[in-house]
Amino acid sequence: MSHIRPRVAATSALLAAGVVSGALTGAPAQAVTGNRVAPTAYAYTAQITVGNHDRGCSAVLVDAEWLLTAASCFANSGTTVPPGAPKTKTTAVVGPSELSSNHILDTRRQVVELVPRSDRDVVLARLSRPVTKVAPIALASSAPAAGEELKFAGYGRTAAEWAPLDLHTGVYTVNSASGTTAAVTGKGGASACAGDAGGPVVREAGGTASLVGLSSQSYQGGCFGADPAESRTGGVVARVDDLGAWVTSTVGAPRITDFNCDGVEDIAISDPKAVVGGVDGAGAVRVVYGGGKGTASIDQDLDWVPGTAEAGDWFGETIETTDHNQDGCTDLVIGTPSEDIGTTDDAGMVDVVYGGPGGLGTNSVKNTHFEQNSGPGSLGASTPETGDRMGQALAAGSTASGEPFLVIGAPGEAIGSVPKAGMVFYVRDSTSIGITTANVGIDQDSTGVPGSVEANDGFGGAVAADANRIAIGAPGEAIDADANAGNVAVFSHKLNSEKRPTPLLGLDQDLDAVSGGSEAGDQFGKSLALVPYRPSGAAAATDSILAVGAPGEDLDIDGANKTDAGNVITFRLPAAGGYSQLNVYSSGTASDDVAGTSESGDRFGQTLTAVNTTPRALSTAASMKLAVGATGEAVGTAAKAGAITTFSLLATPGANDRWIEAGTSGVPGPAGADHQLGASIRFTGTRLYVGMPYGPGSKGTLLALSLSNVTAGGTNAAVTTYEPGQGGLPATGSRFGYAAR
């Protein structure tokens, strides 16, 4: 392969008053002296290239997805950098000590997000996908001490080369340390040069290296291109040994919805019955950009959105969010299962609308469209049929190795001559870099998939996925002679010989290890939630917890049968395989310690949402949360007023639950008939979004509830309310809040 010879430019000059006399310059390059290192040495060091080699720096891997580097590398001057995506496309190469190494493509990533420090020349830089072949370095736990010797590394200039291909190292002697910096002098003539800024400064003890700081400023004595009269090798190191808590909390935080990649949370709110261009039920998705940056509407009257606004399309009936093109901006996945394809009614379609610095749909590539009989793979080979309802269920994310995926349910798909058996389309990045539209179809006749293709199974009626696994519900599945009893199939993202996700197991209520028994109408798998779980002793969240809703479950409450009372069962899915049941949730009896009482028609489990608020840390009862919607719950004399109950996924249900109905937890009241509270719920790392598309407002409402409002024992904080006609949103609406992401 051709050698990569980046042009590396120095950053602007910086003053270092109080450290050493005279001016120092930012140091984006490499050590002047020092031997070429061994191929595996300092592998955590990265080279950063900003733009078309407009600027170059070094960096250090501190997490599989995050680098620490100098904020000055991204600043026009000084060290002030706004959070969010870099203003200029930035590439990082992690690991190879020689940039012409054959495995460079395995470790090249785009920098997609910056999280700066305001008190020093330090920024965390998120990568487009994890680096799996290089071990991150741990931060040191103590400050640099005067007289201590520290190693530093970088990819910048040397004494003789403008743009060397080799990683070089040198030794600093610490002169003094302040709260955020340390003054250093290069030993033996070593000096940080242009391109070294952000490179690691490490302490080596007992054969283990720990990160003390980052090269920040240097006199650049002896560097190629520097003033020949300059002989000083002194410089300034930005300390990071005291930033462990900040790094941990930043890299471990759940991703936010950020369509314009400015680091501020946004929200997409669907109104699938919205009037568009005078057409009722065409549907729209309303977007509110955080930080007061305005609103937008996405609908099929936009010239870049496929289709045409038509009555009954219900554009946005389902929505999901992910960074599908891995540019740091959240993308919006929109399902339109009622879309007619030609003369074929309710065939359905799905669009991925890409985010960008200007918001959704502002980049040159605005969307990717998915429909049957179009494009490659199984989608291109399949034919849209009446009632397929492709897009009725959606899941999206990235695998543990960082490959983006979509899971698209088409529960009305006929398999051969079998009507409404159901199918799921799995869309996956099939290359190490970049997005493709490779996709495969999964049905119950696919190799290893539990169950068999039968009429009205509705396979794909519910889907859920995390980085580890995929769950697909078939709520219409007959178990023996029990119609609509329901089952769930669980898969890994590992592709089998058919290039499909590998089936792992099936779940239904006739299994000995699953509570209850399969009965007609249970609809086990009608709703699903799946979240990563890191148990004690595990290095990462490689397990998952799956919640399965059965809103048609009949329950015996104090000797009386309550039809369609509903329940939810949770399962642990270990990385090693298999499953174990954790808890069974229901409203129970009037005398138990779970809030509420199970009644006929409650449909507890009609909707589910779950979240791990600290996905990198050990999972706890506080971090693993579940919310259950009971849309048929009667409140007083108000039939189908609806209610929500929240639980911990890891603790005893009754001791950790909270009942939410209209008039509580910040939800406006009073309860009203057919309001169906709980029909739209979505957990994020900081909020529970509760949609109220059926009332009390005639147009619909969305509430953003703080986690304290929905956690057992929590106090109520202020609630953010979104509704048509407020905050820049259009004044029209019919089912506003039907879904929110």
Side-chain angles (χ1 to χ4, degrees):
M1 62 182 289
S2 60
H3 285 189
I4 299 173
R5 294 186 176 274
R7 179 173 62 83
V8 183
T11 58
S12 57
L14 302 172
L15 292 178
V19 180
V20 289
S21 61
L24 295 87
T25 56
Q30 177 175 319
V32 168
T33 61
N35 297 323
R36 174 181 174 180
V37 302
T40 58
Y42 304 95
Y44 43 75
T45 309
Q47 185 205 51
I48 288 180
T49 303
V50 179
N52 186 24
H53 303 299
D54 301 323
R55 182 179 297 184
C57 295
S58 298
V60 55
L61 191 73
V62 293
D63 175 85
E65 292 183 81
W66 292 85
L67 301 172
L68 271 175
T69 188
S72 55
C73 188
F74 301 94
N76 291 329
S77 63
T79 60
T80 301
V81 181
K87 300 304 180 186
T88 304
K89 183 177 180 179
T90 301
T91 301
V93 177
V94 185
S97 60
E98 182 182 4
L99 293 176
S100 61
S101 168
N102 287 333
H103 74 277
I104 189 171
L105 293 179
D106 295 335
T107 56
R108 177 181 282 129
R109 302 288 187 269
Q110 186 176 342
V111 174
V112 296
E113 181 185 3
L114 301 176
V115 182
R117 292 285 302 189
S118 60
D119 60 344
R120 66 195 77 180
D121 186 16
V122 171
V123 65
L124 272 164
R126 182 165 64 89
L127 303 173
S128 54
R129 62 174 62 191
V131 174
T132 59
K133 297 184 179 181
V134 178
I137 187 174
L139 271 62
S141 58
S142 60
E148 182 180 12
E149 291 189 352
L150 303 171
K151 291 283 185 71
F152 69 104
Y155 281 105
R157 301 178 196 171
T158 65
E161 295 178 282
W162 179 275
L165 293 174
D166 302 335
L167 177 67
H168 286 70
T169 65
V171 177
Y172 282 142
T173 299
V174 178
N175 302 326
S176 62
S178 67
T180 59
T181 62
V184 296
T185 299
K187 183 178 180 181
S191 180
C193 299
D196 279 333
V201 179
V202 303
R203 175 183 292 131
E204 296 182 347
T208 300
S210 58
L211 186 67
V212 175
L214 308 174
S215 293
S216 176
Q217 302 173 45
S218 172
Y219 286 114
Q220 301 191 56
C223 297
F224 187 90
D227 185 349
E230 179 61 75
S231 61
R232 289 172 294 182
T233 61
V236 175
V237 168
R239 284 180 51 191
V240 300
D241 58 275
D242 60 333
L243 298 183
W246 174 69
V247 170
T248 298
S249 63
T250 301
V251 306
R255 298 277 184 268
I256 64 170
T257 295
D258 185 9
F259 299 123
N260 56 359
C261 39
D262 63 352
V264 181
E265 187 166 5
D266 307 321
I267 182 70
I269 309 158
S270 79
D271 186 346
K273 200 176 181 301
V275 176
V276 177
V279 179
D280 184 35
V285 179
R286 315 300 188 188
V287 179
V288 180
Y289 295 109
K293 294 187 177 178
T295 63
S297 291
I298 311 296
D299 60 58
Q300 289 181 303
D301 263 4
L302 296 172
D303 59 8
W304 53 269
V305 176
T308 302
E310 299 167 314
D313 277 352
W314 275 52
F315 177 83
E317 183 177 342
T318 55
I319 57 174
E320 189 55 89
T321 53
T322 185
D323 184 5
H324 193 62
N325 61 356
Q326 299 190 320
D327 65 351
C329 303
T330 304
D331 306 318
L332 179 64
V333 188
I334 302 175
T336 312
S338 295
E339 177 75 27
D340 300 346
I341 306 296
T343 59
T344 305
D345 295 341
D346 299 340
M349 61 173 54
V350 171
D351 289 279
V352 179
V353 179
Y354 293 112
L360 288 165
T362 60
N363 285 348
S364 57
V365 178
K366 300 181 183 301
N367 80 319
T368 297
H369 179 70
F370 299 96
E371 67 177 68
Q372 296 181 79
N373 199 29
S374 177
S378 294
L379 277 167
S382 60
T383 301
E385 299 166 315
T386 298
D388 281 350
R389 291 191 57 78
M390 175 186 156
Q392 179 174 314
L394 295 172
S398 295
T399 66
S401 60
E403 295 178 330
F405 66 83
L406 303 175
V407 183
I408 302 171
E413 177 77 20
I415 306 300
S417 60
V418 182
K420 297 184 179 181
M423 173 177 278
V424 165
F425 296 100
Y426 179 72
V427 182
R428 171 89 168 265
D429 173 10
S430 64
T431 64
S432 61
I433 298 175
I435 296 298
T436 75
T437 53
N439 64 83
V440 292
I442 308 167
D443 61 53
Q444 289 181 297
D445 273 354
S446 300
T447 300
V449 176
S452 58
V453 166
E454 298 166 317
N456 302 310
D457 279 349
F459 181 78
V463 297
D466 65 9
N468 306 317
R469 290 167 191 82
I470 305 157
I472 300 174
E477 176 79 20
I479 306 296
D480 294 328
D482 296 318
N484 300 311
N487 76 349
V488 176
V490 178
F491 303 76
S492 76
H493 288 284
K494 181 180 179 181
L495 302 184
N496 61 17
S497 60
E498 298 176 343
K499 304 302 181 184
R500 295 184 171 97
T502 302
L504 299 176
L505 56 95
L507 296 168
D508 65 64
Q509 289 183 289
D510 266 3
L511 296 172
D512 291 340
V514 178
S515 292
S518 292
E519 300 165 317
D522 281 348
Q523 293 187 298
F524 181 82
K526 174 72 172 178
S527 59
L528 299 170
L530 186 66
V531 291
Y533 168 55
R534 180 182 171 187
S536 177
T542 54
D543 291 13
S544 301
I545 291 182
L546 171 66
V548 180
E553 179 79 23
D554 298 348
L555 298 178
D556 185 308
I557 303 298
D558 295 328
N561 182 56
K562 304 296 181 179
T563 59
D564 296 343
N567 73 358
V568 174
I569 305 177
T570 55
F571 303 89
R572 176 180 172 184
L573 306 175
Y579 72 94
S580 59
Q581 182 176 302
L582 294 177
N583 283 310
V584 179
Y585 301 84
S586 70
S587 295
T589 69
S591 59
D592 66 16
D593 62 349
V594 176
T597 303
S598 294
E599 300 165 319
S600 292
D602 281 350
R603 295 196 64 81
F604 180 95
Q606 178 74 16
T607 56
L608 293 175
T609 182
V611 68
N612 181 347
T613 61
T614 58
R616 299 291 187 88
L618 291 177
S619 300
T620 67
S623 66
M624 302 289 286
K625 298 179 181 295
L626 172 70
V628 181
T631 55
E633 178 75 31
V635 178
T637 59
K640 296 184 179 179
I644 302 164
T645 311
T646 63
F647 301 91
S648 166
L649 278 169
L650 297 181
T652 305
N656 295 273
D657 66 338
R658 181 159 177 168
W659 174 269
I660 302 167
E661 64 180 51
T664 70
S665 296
V667 178
D674 294 313
H675 286 177
Q676 298 182 51
L677 181 68
S680 170
I681 51 177
R682 178 70 168 192
F683 260 129
T684 69
T686 58
R687 296 175 178 85
L688 177 65
Y689 284 101
V690 177
M692 304 178 71
Y694 302 109
S698 60
K699 300 174 183 178
T701 304
L702 177 73
L703 307 175
L705 305 181
S706 168
L707 293 185
S708 63
N709 293 46
V710 299
T711 300
T715 57
N716 287 344
V719 174
T720 301
T721 301
Y722 303 90
E723 57 188 3
Q726 303 295 320
L729 290 165
T732 59
S734 297
R735 292 287 186 271
F736 182 88
Y738 194 87
R741 297 290 186 269

